[in-house]
Amino acid sequence: MTPRQVVDYMMEKDYFSQFLGIKIIDIKESYSLIEMTITQQMLNGLGTVHGGVTFAFADSAFAFSSNNKGDAAVALSVTINFTKAGREGDVLRAESKLVNETRKTALYDINITNQNDELVAKFVGTVYKIGKKVTEL
């Protein structure tokens, strides 16, 4: 399967990413670019995007990039820094790139930006390769 076919397979079963309205923009080996529009239901009590929504969005980009070679990988460790508040109507993009890879782990860098190309959050994640194919799960 190509990286795009793997992500399409994953997305078909990823009901949470579908619920968030995530759109796949670009997929390459160990890379993903996704997009999502902030809706009213994604806001917290301060009128900004809930941090959990931003985290979940970044986590989806992370999953699509780290699994798209067909070998299943799961999050081992992640950190996120929120740098700018998102607002209703903002269009966010998450770009996930491979930084380093070993036989059992891989490190990814994910930037979340808004429609003005301003950094909204920085997410860094490490995956553990579980030794199975995505299609076996």
Side-chain angles (χ1 to χ4, degrees):
M1 295 174 79
T2 68
R4 180 62 193 233
Q5 289 171 323
V6 173
V7 170
D8 287 344
Y9 174 85
M10 291 173 65
M11 188 65 169
E12 185 176 307
K13 298 180 353 176
D14 187 344
Y15 301 111
F16 191 67
S17 289
Q18 292 174 36
F19 172 76
L20 291 174
I22 290 174
K23 296 176 187 163
I24 308 297
I25 304 301
D26 193 17
I27 299 294
K28 299 174 195 156
E29 189 172 296
S30 302
Y31 173 90
S32 72
L33 178 64
I34 62 175
E35 188 175 273
M36 174 182 77
T37 300
I38 301 302
T39 65
Q40 184 181 36
Q41 294 79 12
M42 296 175 178
L43 302 179
N44 62 25
L46 301 177
T48 60
V49 66
H50 191 286
V53 171
T54 305
F55 182 97
F57 180 56
D59 192 45
S60 289
F62 180 39
F64 297 145
S65 61
S66 63
N67 284 279
N68 73 27
K69 290 192 281 186
D71 298 314
V74 296
L76 184 62
S77 173
V78 299
T79 60
I80 190 167
N81 290 287
F82 302 101
T83 56
K84 183 172 183 61
R87 306 273 180 199
E88 184 176 357
D90 281 354
V91 178
L92 302 185
R93 282 195 164 201
E95 183 178 41
S96 179
K97 297 178 182 179
L98 176 67
V99 175
N100 187 61
E101 185 171 36
T102 69
R103 187 174 54 81
K104 293 301 282 180
T105 65
L107 177 68
Y108 286 81
D109 188 49
I110 298 93
N111 286 331
I112 299 95
T113 56
N114 64 18
Q115 66 277 2
N116 300 319
D117 206 30
E118 299 167 316
L119 188 68
V120 172
K122 175 76 167 178
F123 181 109
V124 176
T126 301
V127 292
Y128 176 75
K129 300 172 192 176
I130 64 173
K132 294 183 179 182
K133 295 291 183 188
V134 169
T135 55
E136 295 174 350
L137 303 174

